Amino acid sequence: QVQLVESGGGSVQAGASLRLSCVASGGEFITYSMAWFRQIPGKAREFVASISWNSRSTPYADSVKGRFTISRDNAKNAIYLQMDDLKPEDTAVYYCGARDGLEYGYWGPGTQVTVSS
């Protein structure tokens, strides 16, 4: 079973950049499709971006397309989310998820991103 830990969140002003990291331990990392989701209080968890095991497929939510970039390093058991031109509406807790079947069944504890105007 894989364990996930996110890092890299923080408080920034609009227009700034942040890079989130997610490191996995346990399991066979290369077999998992990975993703970033985000959630604000009172709302459902929202898909941000995902990446296939070989990095060939990287779909994004329309709200972040062109500003965020997902990547992975299978040698380091890690994925990343480069977030540029951050907006106040990007404020949320960001979660890393791993999928080895039809659903994302493994989650990290999350990292807070706060963007002020």
Side-chain angles (χ1 to χ4, degrees):
Q1 184 170 342
V2 64
Q3 291 85 44
L4 306 171
V5 179
E6 304 94 338
S7 62
S11 296
V12 297
Q13 291 194 325
S17 298
L18 282 175
R19 187 185 191 225
L20 305 184
S21 299
C22 170
V23 177
S25 59
E28 290 290 329
F29 179 74
I30 197 169
T31 67
Y32 295 101
S33 292
M34 302 294 296
W36 289 98
F37 285 70
R38 65 188 182 187
Q39 188 172 24
I40 61 176
K43 289 200 172 183
R45 197 165 291 188
E46 173 189 43
F47 171 80
V48 175
S50 66
I51 187 164
S52 59
W53 71 272
N54 57 5
S55 302
R56 289 181 179 176
S57 177
T58 55
Y60 294 88
D62 287 343
S63 58
V64 306
K65 203 172 293 184
R67 300 188 297 120
F68 291 10
T69 303
I70 190 171
S71 61
R72 70 187 289 164
D73 185 337
N74 288 335
K76 295 182 178 180
N77 286 2
I79 68 166
Y80 308 96
L81 187 68
Q82 177 66 39
M83 305 187 295
D84 298 320
D85 190 23
L86 282 160
K87 304 176 185 294
E89 52 264 41
D90 295 319
T91 295
V93 177
Y94 283 71
Y95 297 92
C96 169
R99 176 170 65 89
D100 62 357
L102 296 178
E103 296 182 355
Y104 287 92
Y106 306 100
W107 298 96
T111 185
Q112 176 72 46
V113 171
T114 302
V115 185
S116 58
S117 58

